[in-house]
Amino acid sequence: MSRYRGPRLKIINRLKTLPGLSKKKPNRIEEPRTKKHHKSPKPSKYPIRLKEKQRVRFHYGLTERQLLQYARIARRSKGSTGQVLLQLLEMRLDNIIFRLGMALTIPGARQLVSHRHILVNDRIVDIPSYRCKPQDLISIKDQQRSINIINNNIDLSQRDKMRVPNHLNLLKKKSQYIGLVKKIIDSKRISLKINELLVVEYYSCRI
């Protein structure tokens, strides 16, 4: 399944707010369910797990194959599979750039990386899925166009009162911003409100 490129509001209306996908908010109001006198059948857990998995996939801008691969890596790692999965996704370069405020969305961050605007430890990295590590320095290519694009994004992010999470640090050196990855994120501080156990349960038969 390829990466979604259709209307984002349609996805947000179905899956609720996804800050990584778009700044838009749902415009569809869910009608309250009316009470019925007869006992309804117990709902299946599959749609609930599927919806939670879809929220993760669209928020981080992944294909189905990519998310499944991350789930398999998390399963083989030490610790809680769900927490490790979210940490792997949060440490992707495109997500780090988004969380620093250098891009307004994760698709926007992916474009910055692919167009070679971003340096990691003073080397150009054009792979959005690059896994950042503690003490990595995220900087901007020394070209005025690159600097202007990211400075403008940071100004907009700060205007929207978007906070840089505790595991990252955003520094300003002269006219440029530099991001520092201080440590691996605590899964409790992830911006997307998600029940990661439902995602693990969805993939339980495939990992």
Side-chain angles (χ1 to χ4, degrees), residues 23 32 37-38 47-48 50 80 85-86 96 106 113 123 156 159 202:
K23 296 296 182 184
H37 295 290
H38 63 277
I48 300 173
L50 174 63
S80 168
L85 172 61
L86 292 181
I96 293 289
I106 293 178
V113 176
R123 297 181 63 180
L156 291 173
R159 194 180 306 166
Y202 177 86

Side-chain angles (χ1 to χ4, degrees), residues 65-101:
R65 181 179 297 179
Q66 285 175 317
L67 184 53
L68 175 59
Q69 185 62 27
Y70 278 116
R72 287 172 174 166
I73 294 172
R75 184 66 179 269
R76 295 194 297 265
S77 303
K78 294 181 181 179
S80 168
T81 302
Q83 292 181 6
V84 173
L85 172 61
L86 292 181
Q87 286 173 339
L88 288 171
L89 298 176
E90 282 288 322
M91 297 304 285
R92 283 172 55 102
L93 178 58
D94 54 1
N95 184 74
I96 293 289
I97 292 168
F98 164 66
R99 297 279 262 158
L100 286 168

Side-chain angles (χ1 to χ4, degrees), residues 120-138:
V120 179
N121 299 326
D122 296 325
R123 297 181 63 180
I124 289 178
V125 176
D126 57 2
I127 303 172
S129 61
Y130 175 86
R131 193 184 303 174
C132 295
K133 303 177 291 297
Q135 305 308 312
D136 277 352
L137 284 173
I138 314 298

Side-chain angles (χ1 to χ4, degrees), residues 117-175:
H117 292 289
I118 301 298
L119 288 78
V120 179
N121 299 326
D122 296 325
R123 297 181 63 180
I124 289 178
V125 176
D126 57 2
I127 303 172
S129 61
Y130 175 86
R131 193 184 303 174
C132 295
K133 303 177 291 297
Q135 305 308 312
D136 277 352
L137 284 173
I138 314 298
S139 55
I140 310 165
K141 187 167 65 173
D142 191 16
Q143 287 187 0
Q144 196 59 46
R145 180 170 177 268
S146 302
I147 294 171
N148 289 343
I149 290 172
I150 293 175
N151 284 358
N152 184 56
N153 287 341
I154 290 176
D155 289 342
L156 291 173
S157 297
Q158 292 177 345
R159 194 180 306 166
D160 292 339
K161 297 182 180 180
M162 179 179 172
R163 295 183 178 180
V164 176
N166 292 341
H167 71 292
L168 303 175
N169 199 4
L170 184 65
L171 309 170
K172 189 169 185 180
K173 188 177 181 181
K174 295 182 180 179
S175 62

